[in-house]
Amino acid sequence: MSSEKGTIQQALTGSVERVTYHNEENGYSVLRLVVAGMSDPVTVIGSFSTVSPGEQLRLSGWWTTHPKYGDQFKSQSYEVLRPATIAGIQKYLGSGLIKGVGPITARRIVDHFGEKTLDVIENEISRLGEVKGIARKRVELIERAWAEQQSIKQVMLFLQSHGVSTHFGVKIFKHYGHEAIAIVEQNPYRLAAEVYGIGFRTADQIARNLGLPIDAPERLQSGLRFVLSEAADEGHCFLPQNDLLERAARILELEGEAMPASLAAVSAQMIAAGELRRETLSTDLAVYLPPFWLAERSIARRLGLLLSQPVSVDAPRVEQWLARYTGHHEIELSPEQREAILEAAARRLLILTGGPGTGKTTTLRAMVQLFLAMRLRVALASPTGRAAQRLAEVTGCEARTIHRLLEFDPSQMAFRRDEQNPLEADVVIIDEASMIDLLLANSLFKAVSPNARLVLVGDVDQLPSVGPGKVLQDLIRSSRIPVARLTQVFRQAAESLIVQNAHRINRGEFPQLITPGEGKSDCYFIETEDSAEIVNLLVKAVVTSLPKRFGFDPRRDIQILAPMNRGQVGANSLNNTLQQALNPPLPGQPELVRGNRALRVGDKVIQRVNNYRLEVFNGDMGLIEAIDLEDQLVAIRFGDRLVAYDYADLLELAHGYCVTVHKSQGSEYPAVVLPLHTSHFLMLSRNLLYTALTRAKRTVVLIGSTRAIALAMNSTEAMIRHTGLVESLHINPVRLDFDQSSEMKKDQ
């Protein structure tokens, strides 16, 4: 057997015993194949679409020798055959391939029909009703799933024939149905725009294999959209025109003098057709995707309209109420807090901002009670379910996510509440407003009646939203919106080292670092430069130290926050390590393997994208309560809701033992563990460190090096985003004249 690639091509046929590894991103897989005449299963490596245990494969490739793993067969191409044995058929049917058939049902079917099983399913599927325990409804379910599976395989074979891994076949089929192949052949770039998980590069590879020229207009158009979409993922609402063209030329691999010119010409055509928008800003010639351009102008118009409406209120009466309220509850408000509450009563629009320990919660609670005393209808909301739950707890009133407040309609993929159907509320209060991205802010502001009040509450020094824009920062920076800023740190809060360090970081001062052996604190630092040691110390803190010392539940109370996803001390790797430590496989416990991830009952998971059909949104965290291998459903508990996931939706989930600091926005946890290593340097920034610390209610443990902390303290670059909202607010035709001293007028 040769260890060199490119030796004599050979054929190999066998039955898949196990899928050891499958990468959903590129299709790379490691299989164990049972081959007739060989005493031990063969290790096969190569790119496969979706291969199930029990399937029979005919492979073409060559033998190679790995220095660590020994002899392996490297597959260059393959063909899926029918399972050849009864055991193979049973394993094939029970592998999760067909919804409605799990291991138990597969065994019953094969016991009844034997080697004729697949012929029966293909040609006489109604006969499955002969099998004990399979009712007519389940037969119909299996029939639909089998037909769908055959169509999916056709899509996968088509994509594979064009040199592309086809693990997205299910997604493509669910989106386009039986028209999938025709649509892909006609315009493969639709995949990048319409199917979650398929990006421009995958669509471009299909297009190139279909023979589309490198300078085809649809390719250049898709490339420009892709670059702007990628920029939106980085938080930008637009790109400067020259930056856009340079990025696009690089992505599209355009060479020669004529190519950039043709790209610029296509860009100009798209702008003329309204497919892109161009705006002259103070420092840039900015190019937008239309939704972001429209959103910035819509926000400016709506807020201008809101501020143009006068407010009548009896100021002495409000002050009397506030005196009674503080006396009854034995609360002493700072002058800043009092002024914020009075301003909320006198304004249509107010931003309340402040760091930890400055009394935002107390101020917000008093505001809510004042509005209720004024007999106003109050609506409370936050961007995430966890934040909404906390808002309800601190105010004593119902609070919802913004998506639920706006009544998202999955059938229409739109909010029911908008300009024509505004919220039935006199006051709308939004907490954790720093998390709100541009598009959600636009939808929210359109749904607020011009005669209502809007209060935005948030910490402007935290990281900006995960989505594009930095709405709260831009509203404050515009100097066009009334702002109540709380700066006084209350004595009890000032005793917390978490609070002290957060304010130090905000001022650009190095945080105070106390090791666990130095005394009692709520903010500890364990120093090490070694990345492997960081991982070991982190696992020890989560599994042993924090639960033993403070009684924290490792899964429910402790959240690990990482600066980034990649690397040995990134969220992806740490999730694998923590799952093994906190929720290892157990005999008899259902387990579902998707790619290189195993999902188990008890796993902590996080939703990675908005799924309006299931009403779970980017950043929502839950625990897996059940896995049904027969019906291919996974039940996940999000707070007080139990949500059933179909297998096809599981790509939207990731393990949630460790999440990035960005993903933690709007959440608070009893305890936070934060690994900091110099390998995180691309993401380290002052406001990332500040955001991570302020996610903890009771305890923070930093594990890493002072060099990494210094890198974070010296970087403020994370705040730089291309946005035009400030200028939109200034050019808005509605006069924003709040800055003249307002007087609360007596209500007639």
Side-chain angles (χ1 to χ4, degrees), residues 354-373:
T358 57
K360 285 198 308 295
T361 299
T362 300
T363 306
L364 178 57
R365 188 184 296 120
M367 278 185 189
V368 171
Q369 292 304 312
L370 170 61
F371 290 135
L372 293 175

Side-chain angles (χ1 to χ4, degrees), residues 158 175-191 194 210:
F158 166 75
H175 196 87
Y176 298 121
H178 296 287
E179 298 178 356
I181 293 176
I183 287 171
V184 172
E185 285 182 320
Q186 183 182 14
N187 183 5
Y189 292 106
R190 284 183 61 178
L191 296 175
E194 299 172 359
L210 287 169

Side-chain angles (χ1 to χ4, degrees), residues 108 122 195 250 458 478 573 604 684:
R108 289 173 179 166
E122 283 187 357
V195 181
R250 193 164 55 248
S478 73
S573 177
K604 188 175 186 178
L684 291 175

